[in-house]
Amino acid sequence: MPTQMLAGRLQVRREVGRLLSGTSRAGYLRKWLLLGIIIGVIAGLGAALFITMLHAGTSWLLGTVGGYHVATTSGEGGVRAASGFARPWAVPLVTGGGALAAALLVYFFAPEAEGHGTDAAIAAVHANPKGLRGRVALVKMVSSALTIGSGGSGGREGPTAQISATFGSVLSRTLNLTPADSRIAVASGIASGIGAIFRAPLGGAVLGAELVFRDDLEVEALLPSIVSSVVAFAVFGSVTGSFSPIFGWQTSYHLANVQALLMFAIVGLGCGLMGRLYAAAFYRTSDSFERLHLPKWLKPALAGLVVGALGLAIPGVLGTGYGQIQQELSAHVLIGIPLWLVLVLPIAKIVATSLSIGSGGSGGIFGPGMVIGGATGAAVWRLLELGHAAPAGGPTPFVIVGMIACFGAIAHAPLAVMLMVAEMTGSLEMLAPAMVAIILALLVVGDATIYRSQLATRADSPARRFSAQMPPAPQVPVSDVMAPPRLVLPASLTASEALAALRDAEVPGAPVVDADGVFIGSLHAARLAEQVEAGTATKAGRLADAEALTLPEAASLDDAVDAVATSRGGWVPVLDVDMHVRGVVSTTDLVRGWRLAMRGAMRQLGRASGATTLVEETVDADSQADGARIDQLDWPPRAVLVAVHRRQGLAWPHPDTRLGAGDLVSVVCRKEEADAVRRLLVSQPTVIEASLSAR
């Protein structure tokens, strides 16, 4: 990035950060009301821009050049059936050419925009919520419009989710939010983008909390997601001029009897099987393309040719497929479609999406999943109708319930998808049948998921996995824990000079600052060494990782644990409001902070009981503890060995843990037992009465 552009970006970041500097310290409701509105506005504008580009791309690429016009939905220009193929030979060329143009754009400008986007946003929530680059949003928008607009089988929710999640990440960096708040910002970005593009604000809001885990909810993200999603929906509708459901108001169905639920149980089982097939086929195709020894930009083009050819036989696979689902909501239209085509459409859509997106193309897999489910529901109704067993009311409830059951199960977001489809069809009448279907679909799907970045529960989150073993520490400020930076690199250093400085200081990395001392990013020695060996001749400022995790001075030990656990190098810089480096927090600093937190907790316990004390002693070489296992020592009956701190780090004590000279041992015991504990650890203990209540 040119120096002037970098300086301008840093200046904007500082000014915005100063303007909103009090936001991160505000109360939960005030903070997320403001941040949610900001994220929602950008998400709504981004979704409106993308849908405009997508419609224009589809009209020109597939319509004007390819000679084929896809079916449309009620809420997007009115119901219109697909046209015939005026130039059949042109469709595969257009689909392949659009995929090639999109792949080249991604390859040269933002490789992380490859694929379906939502998985990348989920991964950012768990790993590095500040790590999404701003340029990814623009590249994702254009490349997805090219891929889907030329006939590639993909959804539009992935691009909008990544666009709005990227803004949440950029906002987190600009305001230097804590990692926990940054995760919420990215999750609410996912929610607002999807809620806007599907015109389903409530479903989108719940999706922001539900999608990041397979068997859990990100509860903290629910309220921010509600704010950002409804704002995005309002902005999107105001810009596009439409607030109506995508598939129109489908309100004619009424559940007549309990027996009808059996029909939807069949839909649920079928959609569960189809969901498993979708996930397996998609990732098997993706892995196969990954092993294919061809240029990355060429693979989507080859897949596009195949998808275009498949579309000549089964037109419903081209583009998003929503128009095809709109057609299948009508009984007379569905009956008029050849039976073989109705039955094969779900499989064909799986194949087309796996090729278009699994090859490295740009687009979403959320929308195709609902199309696959809707087509499965239509196939079930068609078979029942053929046997004169279909209930009155037509295929509409089967198609809608199929949309919910298939993708709600394979994405492990049943509640969100139920609400979204209800909003997309303007009907709540199908919720009871949908609940039956999705429960059975979830049983069939099991632990399989369409999103590889999903974690099972919050306990599996890298930050929470670490902090769950630590005592609560919101009362310990990071300023009490951080250490002065051993090295701060000027941006003007060359790569070789920066690497030499890192090696001389014997540090794994260091923050990089500009001439005014403003933080630019972080440099990591291992990665920098690779770049120097590759002959990279540039300045440290250009190589610095601008998306690296940082902490504000107002952060607590909890925030530091969160940040270090998910950082790339095991250390995180601490910045003030003006983005100047004030310190560095590493794993060893967390241990010191943990001891402070533990002491604080024990003090509170001591004040409450009046009889508890914390004994911390270093094991002497001649003491009883030196060389002994913990279970071999004669501990007082009520003593609790809390931790053993060694030079290598913190050791969690077990009965067979062997103590040695130099170990710092922390023991909680009653006041009258303190001397007995010291006699085990120290060769000549000094009697000190230091109850926690007196400290």
Side-chain angles (χ1 to χ4, degrees), residues 115-135:
H116 54 90
T118 307
D119 224 18
I122 294 172
V125 172
H126 295 309
N128 183 7
K130 294 183 179 181
L132 296 176
R133 292 195 297 165
R135 73 167 66 174

Side-chain angles (χ1 to χ4, degrees), residues 50 116-118 137 140-141 144 148 155-164 362-364:
F50 174 64
H116 54 90
T118 307
K140 188 70 176 178
M141 189 183 302
S144 297
I148 305 170
R156 53 204 190 190
E157 91 299 326
T160 52
Q162 193 164 18
I163 291 166
S164 48
S362 190

Side-chain angles (χ1 to χ4, degrees), residues 9 13 110-114 117-138 140 158-174 182-190 453 545-549 568:
R9 189 182 72 173
R13 178 176 169 180
E112 58 265 56
E114 175 186 322
T118 307
D119 224 18
I122 294 172
V125 172
H126 295 309
N128 183 7
K130 294 183 179 181
L132 296 176
R133 292 195 297 165
R135 73 167 66 174
V136 174
L138 181 59
K140 188 70 176 178
T160 52
Q162 193 164 18
I163 291 166
S164 48
T166 297
F167 176 73
S169 181
V170 172
L171 185 65
S172 299
R173 292 198 299 272
T174 301
S182 300
R183 281 199 301 271
I184 293 175
V186 174
S188 60
I190 296 173
S453 296
D545 181 7
E547 289 78 32
L549 284 170
R568 294 175 184 171

